[in-house]
């Protein structure tokens, strides 16, 4: 890893060179009171002074709805057109938080643990992540309890730590990150030897994830699931804003003789998720679905994929319409 | 990026359609691309995702035996959107197939053993694959017993093959229908599958049992087998949880930490004991 410094002016120059290079740049943008990742052309469009975007940036590699292939029928015969990787554009994700970048690890594990998912891998290969370490957090943030941190570099290609005068410490972490630096190499200066940790917010560690995993191993029949989920609406908001949730449905979008097969986000919190055509539903009530959500993230994924299904971004708690707070639930599980 | 798109189905031609029972059909499918046909291999127990283009995909086992080359077969009941779409297709039409997916019956480990197949209703198809696989390698096994039941005589699938198994001296076939499902000329048993298994009373000595059926049938058959002296590692079944992607990603067939589409669909009763029963 190489460390450099970039001034406020240098940052502007680098950003405009990235846009000029033809890569698509997505960054947090404030619109109607919300901050979301949008395509941007200038650094001035990028939002400041916010804690977290409502949506994570996982849609850049796992789009909300994505065409798996197209087909056309004629006289009982079918012709198919495969997914075209060349149509996927080079993309830079700008000002991603470390918790979102950390989400790419579980996503990659899911999409590659056995069968390799060409669509996901194509998006990932063409994506460069520029993360900004966190100087702010709120009560929903718990990255440090799930092996992350406000300056965690996992998943990042380049990480910037902003300094009060508007410049930044630049950590160049991967060859992709290095290639991005090369677009405006003169904008970067020698490392000033500053310790980035003094610019990071303090996110206290509130539970031990290994302890939770150990408790979950025997918690399948615990009354805790019913207690915690009694007000759960099964709306799926928590899964849709989550940077690591990757459950999907496969749907047909067909009109006349032409159609597309589409993969779209789904959620284990939905009552229809496991419903069989016969009418049998192994997870017939919401407490079973809530249990699945927690066990999948904190027990099954660590066991099967050696990765946690949670990065502590806190979005699920912020998005929940009935104020279910995963952090409180996890603390209560850890204490049981 | 050389990897294949795992969601892109093979194009298959429906070579033959057999009407098995009310709403139940068997399709014999052939690959349209010869190279794909040559490269294709599967083992008994595996499943696929079958497409009616314009309607979507449905999960069924491969119902034909890997010993029968050049085609695959699937048997399905017209129930939902996709199976209704498939039912509208005719011989010569194109449909899609992705697979083979999932694990297999450990048939090589069963050499020299007696085999008992217990199936109910539309669950004979996943077992038909391994039945024909065993019958085509008949010398590898000792006694072969098949207990098959359906609600009524009309609901029995593979009627032509039931006759063939009936006539074979090296197969002990016992068919049954639920009380009230018999016809005046019905010569088989009358009663529910678990009761008939108890009556047939196969010996657990050097025997493997394969059970496929609706959850209620399986639930009541396991205690009968235990009573007859079968140990959990002698009993195999296939789970049929809701599956979509077939490749361990979409998340819906998760049972405990296992994925039916990857770790199954074939499980021994011993393996089932380690996962939560309410999830399948």
């Amino acid at each position: 890893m190489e460390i450099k410094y970039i001034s406020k002016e240098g940052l502007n120059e680098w950003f405009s060179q990235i846009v000029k290079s033809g890569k698509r740049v997505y960054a947090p943008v404030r619109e109607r009171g919300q901050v979301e990742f949008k395509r941007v052309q200038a650094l001035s469009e990028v939002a400041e002074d916010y804690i977290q975007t409502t949506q994570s940036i996982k849609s850049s590699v796992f789009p909300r709805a994505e065409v798996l292939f197209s087909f056309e029928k004629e006289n009982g015969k079918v012709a198919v057109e495969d997914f075209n990787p060349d149509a996927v554009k080079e993309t830079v994700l700008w000002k991603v938080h470390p918790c979102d970048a950390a989400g790419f690890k579980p996503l990659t594990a899911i999409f590659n643990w056995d069968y390799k998912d060409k669509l996901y891998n194509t998006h990932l290969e063409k994506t460069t992540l520029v993360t900004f370490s966190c100087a702010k957090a709120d009560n929903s943030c718990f990255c440090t309890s799930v092996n992350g941190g406000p300056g965690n570099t996992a998943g990042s290609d380049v990480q910037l730590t902003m300094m009060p005068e508007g410049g930044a410490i630049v950590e160049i972490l991967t060859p992709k990150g290095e290639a991005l630096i090369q677009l405006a190499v003169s904008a970067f200066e020698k490392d000033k030897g500053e310790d980035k940790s003094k610019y990071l917010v303090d996110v206290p560690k509130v539970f031990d994830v290994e302890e939770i995993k150990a408790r979950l191993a025997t918690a399948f029949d615990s009354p805790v699931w019913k207690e915690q989920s009694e007000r759960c609406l099964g709306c799926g908001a928590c899964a849709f804003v989550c940077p690591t949730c990757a459950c999907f449905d496969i749907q047909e979008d067909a009109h006349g003789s032409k159609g597309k097969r589409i993969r779209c986000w789904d959620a284990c919190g939905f009552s229809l998720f496991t419903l069989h055509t016969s009418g049998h539903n192994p997870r017939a009530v919401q407490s079973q679905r809530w249990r699945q959500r927690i066990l999948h993230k904190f027990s099954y994924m660590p066991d099967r994929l050696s990765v946690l299904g949670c990065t502590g971004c806190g979005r699920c708690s912020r998005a929940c319409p009935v104020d279910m707070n995963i952090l409180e639930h996890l603390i209560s599980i850890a204490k049981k | 990026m050389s990897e294949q798109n795992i969601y892109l189905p093979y194009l298959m031609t429906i070579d033959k359609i057999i009407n098995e029972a009310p709403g139940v059909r068997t399709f014999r499918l052939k690959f349209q691309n010869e190279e794909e046909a040559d490269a294709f291999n599967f083992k008994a127990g595996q499943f696929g995702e079958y497409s009616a283009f314009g309607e979507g995909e449905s999960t069924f086992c491969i119902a034909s035996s890997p010993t029968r080359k050049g085609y695959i077969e699937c048997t399905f009941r017209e129930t939902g959107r996709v199976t209704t779409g498939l039912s509208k297709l005719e011989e010569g039409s194109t449909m899609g197939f992705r697979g083979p997916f999932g694990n297999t019956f450990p048939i090589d480990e069963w050499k020299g053993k007696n085999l008992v197949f217990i199936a109910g209703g539309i669950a004979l198809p996943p077992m038909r694959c391994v039945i024909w696989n065993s019958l085509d390698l008949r010398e590898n096994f000792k006694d072969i017993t098949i207990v098959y039941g359906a609600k009524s005589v009309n609901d029995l699938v593979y009627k032509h093959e039931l006759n063939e198994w009936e006539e074979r001296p090296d197969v002990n076939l016992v068919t049954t229908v639920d009380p009230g499902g018999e016809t005046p000329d019905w010569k088989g048993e009358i009663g529910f599958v678990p009761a008939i298994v108890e009556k047939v009373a196969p010996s657990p000595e050097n025997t493997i049992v394969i059970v496929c059926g609706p959850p209620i049938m399986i639930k009541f058959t396991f205690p009968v087998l235990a009573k007859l002296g079968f140990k959990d590692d002698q009993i195999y079944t296939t789970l049929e949880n809701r599956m979509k992607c077939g490749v361990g990603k979409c998340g819906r067939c998760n049972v405990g930490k296992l994925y039916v589409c990857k770790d199954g669909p074939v499980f021994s009763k011993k393996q089932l004991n380690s996962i939560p029963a309410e999830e399948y």
Side-chain angles (χ1 to χ4, degrees):
Chain A
M1 184 193 68
E2 199 182 350
I3 300 180
K4 288 183 183 287
Y5 170 81
I6 193 164
S7 65
K8 194 175 177 183
E9 297 71 33
L11 205 57
N12 258 309
E13 167 64 12
W14 183 34
F15 190 88
S16 54
Q17 288 304 326
I18 295 172
V19 173
K20 261 191 205 163
S21 75
K23 295 179 196 291
R24 303 182 311 167
V25 182
Y26 285 81
V29 171
R30 192 182 305 274
E31 256 181 25
R32 293 187 291 275
Q34 290 215 157
V35 180
E36 299 291 8
F37 282 93
K38 305 267 181 195
R39 189 161 178 195
V40 295
Q41 301 292 341
L43 197 52
S44 57
E45 295 173 55
V46 180
E48 289 183 1
D49 199 32
Y50 65 96
I51 301 286
Q52 190 69 278
T53 53
T54 311
Q55 288 279 343
S56 84
I57 190 60
K58 81 175 167 195
S59 59
S60 63
V61 285
F62 174 38
R64 225 173 290 188
E66 179 165 36
V67 177
L68 301 171
F69 64 88
S70 312
F71 59 86
E72 188 165 359
K73 299 191 280 186
E74 197 181 346
N75 301 326
K77 302 289 176 207
V78 178
V80 294
E81 192 179 322
D82 199 356
F83 163 80
N84 176 13
D86 296 335
V88 176
K89 304 274 188 284
E90 289 282 344
T91 300
V92 173
L93 306 181
W94 182 267
K95 208 171 181 178
V96 173
H97 279 334
C99 52
D100 269 9
F104 284 71
K105 191 178 172 191
L107 290 177
T108 302
I110 292 165
F111 285 111
N112 285 297
W113 72 279
D114 185 351
Y115 290 88
K116 309 284 179 262
D117 195 297
K118 182 178 186 172
L119 286 77
Y120 174 84
N121 289 332
T122 302
H123 289 298
L124 188 64
E125 276 174 19
K126 297 193 179 189
T127 300
T128 307
L129 270 94
V130 181
T131 56
F132 281 45
S133 60
C134 297
K136 279 184 164 186
D138 67 10
N139 289 338
S140 295
C141 295
F142 60 97
C143 55
T144 48
S145 300
V146 286
N147 308 328
N152 180 30
T153 56
S156 306
D157 294 303
V158 180
Q159 184 163 99
L160 269 60
T161 297
M162 297 304 294
M163 293 161 71
E165 85 287 359
I169 300 166
V170 183
E171 294 170 84
I172 307 160
L173 299 152
T174 67
K176 267 191 209 172
E178 178 59 37
L180 207 64
I181 301 294
Q182 289 300 323
L183 292 173
V185 76
S186 62
F188 294 88
E189 298 168 33
K190 211 167 136 254
D191 174 26
K192 291 188 184 302
E194 286 255 24
D195 176 10
K196 85 170 187 183
S197 65
K198 69 179 181 185
Y199 300 110
L200 303 178
V201 63
D202 179 35
V203 178
K205 186 175 170 180
V206 283
F207 63 80
D208 184 304
V209 79
E210 287 304 318
E211 197 173 44
I212 286 188
K213 187 169 176 284
R215 297 215 186 269
L216 291 178
T218 55
F220 192 86
D221 296 315
S222 166
V224 75
W225 311 118
K226 187 165 184 307
E227 289 161 21
Q228 292 186 352
S229 67
E230 254 165 359
R231 64 182 191 267
C232 179
L233 304 174
C235 70
C238 50
F240 276 51
V241 297
C242 176
T244 75
C245 274
C247 288
F248 60 82
D249 195 4
I250 298 176
Q251 287 283 346
E252 212 85 335
D253 178 21
H255 305 277
S257 61
K258 290 187 180 182
K260 294 168 185 161
R261 188 156 298 162
I262 294 175
R263 151 160 91 187
C264 37
W265 290 0
D266 206 342
C268 62
F270 291 149
S271 58
L272 302 182
F273 187 66
T274 51
L275 179 66
H276 296 201
T277 311
S278 66
H280 173 61
N281 192 347
R283 293 192 206 118
V285 295
Q286 205 58 31
S287 57
Q288 295 170 322
R289 298 174 206 133
W290 173 249
R291 172 177 62 198
Q292 170 65 16
R293 178 170 177 77
I294 298 298
L295 286 173
H296 196 201
K297 289 181 170 299
F298 294 92
S299 177
Y300 306 156
M301 282 181 66
D303 274 352
R304 294 299 299 262
L305 307 174
S306 304
V307 63
L308 271 171
C310 175
T311 69
C313 72
R315 284 191 179 85
C316 51
S317 303
R318 293 187 202 98
C320 182
V322 292
D323 289 331
M324 284 174 70
N325 186 307
I326 197 169
L327 181 55
E328 287 172 12
H329 289 332
L330 290 168
I331 291 169
S332 79
I333 290 166
K335 284 181 182 163
K336 287 265 172 198
Chain B
M1 183 65 59
S2 59
E3 64 206 36
Q4 299 290 309
N5 177 0
I6 50 180
Y7 307 103
L8 187 71
Y10 296 116
L11 295 179
M12 312 290 280
T13 300
I14 302 173
D15 193 45
K16 194 175 172 189
I17 297 176
I18 303 162
N19 290 314
E20 303 283 1
V24 181
R25 285 175 179 77
T26 296
F27 282 0
R28 179 170 289 189
L29 305 171
K30 291 194 169 169
F31 285 85
Q32 292 182 354
N33 180 309
E34 273 181 37
E35 278 175 30
E36 289 171 356
D38 291 344
F40 184 77
N41 257 310
F42 74 102
K43 286 188 170 175
Q46 293 192 286
F47 69 93
E49 298 291 338
Y50 298 79
S51 303
F53 290 101
E55 304 298 342
E57 282 183 323
S58 229
T59 313
F60 323 122
C61 63
I62 299 173
S64 52
S65 167
T67 51
R68 313 285 172 101
K69 302 287 184 194
Y71 63 87
I72 57 168
E73 288 177 333
C74 65
T75 300
F76 62 92
R77 174 179 282 155
E78 189 180 334
T79 313
R81 176 178 164 177
V82 177
T83 48
T84 302
L86 288 172
S87 295
K88 288 178 185 157
L89 298 176
E90 297 167 351
E91 287 180 355
S93 301
T94 297
M95 59 179 275
F97 169 79
R98 289 194 295 126
F101 295 136
N103 71 350
T104 65
F105 286 105
I107 189 166
D108 294 337
E109 295 170 20
W110 298 344
K111 278 185 186 170
K113 293 182 185 290
N114 305 307
L115 301 180
V116 177
F117 298 97
I118 303 169
I122 188 71
L124 186 57
M127 198 172 278
R128 177 187 182 235
C129 178
V130 65
I131 290 176
W132 275 120
N133 200 167
S134 321
L135 292 178
D136 287 348
L137 305 169
R138 187 64 188 87
E139 66 284 2
N140 286 351
F141 308 100
K142 293 193 169 161
D143 296 344
I144 292 186
T145 303
I146 304 169
V147 179
Y148 175 49
K151 274 186 192 158
S152 72
V153 176
N154 206 16
D155 287 314
L156 293 164
V157 299
Y158 304 134
K159 294 184 181 71
H160 49 300
E161 292 178 7
L162 294 177
N163 289 335
E164 193 178 335
W165 296 340
E166 176 91 72
E167 283 166 16
R168 279 179 75 135
D170 58 354
V171 176
N172 173 26
L173 175 74
V174 182
T175 49
T176 184
V177 294
D178 292 354
E182 69 274 22
T183 52
D185 57 350
W186 174 245
K187 296 199 174 55
E189 300 283 343
I190 297 171
F192 296 107
V193 167
I196 302 303
V197 172
E198 194 161 6
K199 188 173 159 190
V200 173
S203 161
E205 186 67 32
N206 193 33
T207 302
I208 292 292
V209 186
I210 304 101
V211 189
C212 284
I216 189 86
M217 186 204 96
I218 292 181
K219 188 183 165 194
F220 285 102
T221 301
F222 280 162
V224 171
L225 292 171
K227 200 169 146 190
L228 291 169
F230 283 91
K231 300 279 182 286
D232 289 347
D233 58 1
Q234 291 176 273
I235 304 170
Y236 287 82
T237 189
T238 71
L239 296 187
E240 299 262 322
N241 268 43
R242 184 78 186 262
M243 293 184 246
K244 278 264 178 175
C245 74
V247 288
K249 309 205 185 297
C250 79
R252 71 196 64 228
C253 70
N254 211 187
V255 176
K257 73 175 73 164
L258 303 182
Y259 284 86
V260 175
C261 72
K262 284 297 310 165
D263 302 297
V266 176
F267 293 94
S268 71
K269 170 82 168 55
K270 192 177 172 189
Q271 287 172 303
L272 289 186
N273 293 343
S274 70
I275 57 175
E278 73 175 61
E279 295 239 299
Y280 59 86

